[in-house]
Amino acid sequence: MNEFNRQWVLAQRPVGLPNADTFRLDEAPMPTPGDGELLIKTRWLSFDPTQRGWMEDRESYMPPVQIGEVMRAGTVGEVVESNNPDFKVGDIVQGSGGWQEFFVANAGGFMPVQKLPEGVPPSWFLGVLGVTGITAYFGLLDLGEPEPGQTVLVSGAAGATGSVAAQIARIKGCRVIGIAGGPEKCA
Ligand SMILES: NC(=O)c1ccc[n+]([C@@H]2O[C@H](COP(=O)([O-])OP(=O)(O)OC[C@H]3O[C@@H](n4cnc5c(N)ncnc54)[C@H](OP(=O)(O)O)[C@@H]3O)[C@@H](O)[C@H]2O)c1
């Protein structure tokens, strides 16, 4: 087991684009799971536009990340210690572990840790089968209510959410026009 837990913390609030001074690499003591808790080693971590909003000192659908706090992010990881009978060592789980090597979680609360099914690449749960895919799915189908033969225009069409929205629209029999930044992305 590691002696330290490496973490990217928010060092200062960016003005405009984040830069090399926005984050700091820290070494924290290894966390210890309590009753009912899991120690999870991060295997994949997520990098999303919404994180830029969390760096601002303002309330939104989630509180801001505080200075010195681990950068919040969706993660997929492996259970390396379990005090919870519903999880065993080696289980691959998704959660909100942030940009750090290890984190402790319980199985409840907001965005709870969930076991991932086998047979699907685990990293997909940070993309097409995760928040961005779900956003495209419900945004397009529940709010857009596309019908066959309609034209659907997708901005950011090469991005994580847009590329899924475009494919769902095609499956629904729509004509899809995508907007993306440059010939490579359009191809
Ligand atoms: N409400 C929710 O639950 C939810 C969930 C997921 C995503 N979202 C939102 O959906 C949007 C797309 O998210 P994503 O995860 O798909 O992001 P992504 O994969 O990073 O794609 C975003 C796309 O936006 C374009 N872009 C980047 N910077 C830009 C700028 N300064 N001006 C104009 N366009 C720019 C880029 O495409 P081009 O280079 O092709 O222009 C990029 O591919 C974001 O606004 C995100 O916050 C919301």
Side-chain angles (χ1 to χ4, degrees):
M1 190 60 74
N2 292 38
E3 199 178 343
F4 294 106
N5 184 24
R6 290 187 302 167
Q7 315 176 309
W8 284 105
V9 303
L10 184 64
Q12 55 179 247
R13 300 205 183 278
V15 178
L17 289 177
N19 60 33
D21 298 325
T22 306
F23 303 106
R24 185 181 67 239
L25 185 60
D26 271 0
E27 285 186 339
M30 279 295 292
T32 312
D35 272 357
E37 291 185 330
L38 313 166
L39 179 64
I40 297 162
K41 180 171 173 50
T42 304
R43 295 290 185 202
W44 289 271
L45 48 83
S46 164
F47 186 54
D48 298 290
T50 195
Q51 289 169 301
R52 180 62 188 82
W54 298 340
M55 294 175 208
E56 295 289 323
D57 191 15
R58 62 173 153 80
E59 287 295 321
S60 68
Y61 65 100
M62 283 183 121
V65 176
Q66 298 301 323
I67 301 297
E69 203 179 333
V70 175
M71 187 59 213
R72 183 188 300 138
T75 48
V76 168
E78 182 181 340
V79 175
V80 290
E81 215 178 307
S82 174
N83 296 333
N84 184 318
D86 293 335
F87 293 83
K88 60 180 193 314
V89 169
D91 280 349
I92 303 293
V93 295
Q94 70 173 7
S96 185
W99 288 353
Q100 55 184 336
E101 278 186 305
F102 294 90
F103 71 104
V104 163
N106 58 37
F110 179 63
M111 294 179 77
V113 166
Q114 292 184 59
K115 231 183 283 188
L116 299 184
E118 289 177 11
V120 180
S123 61
W124 287 14
F125 290 87
L126 297 178
V128 65
L129 299 180
V131 173
T132 51
I134 287 168
T135 300
Y137 183 93
F138 288 106
L140 183 67
L141 296 181
D142 281 12
L143 300 179
E145 300 179 5
E147 288 172 15
Q150 287 184 327
T151 299
V152 174
L153 176 68
V154 182
S155 61
T161 308
S163 60
V164 175
Q167 292 176 77
I168 295 171
R170 281 286 287 269
I171 290 166
K172 290 293 174 187
C174 301
R175 170 175 176 251
V176 183
I177 299 174
I179 300 172
E184 195 184 343
K185 285 186 174 184
C186 287

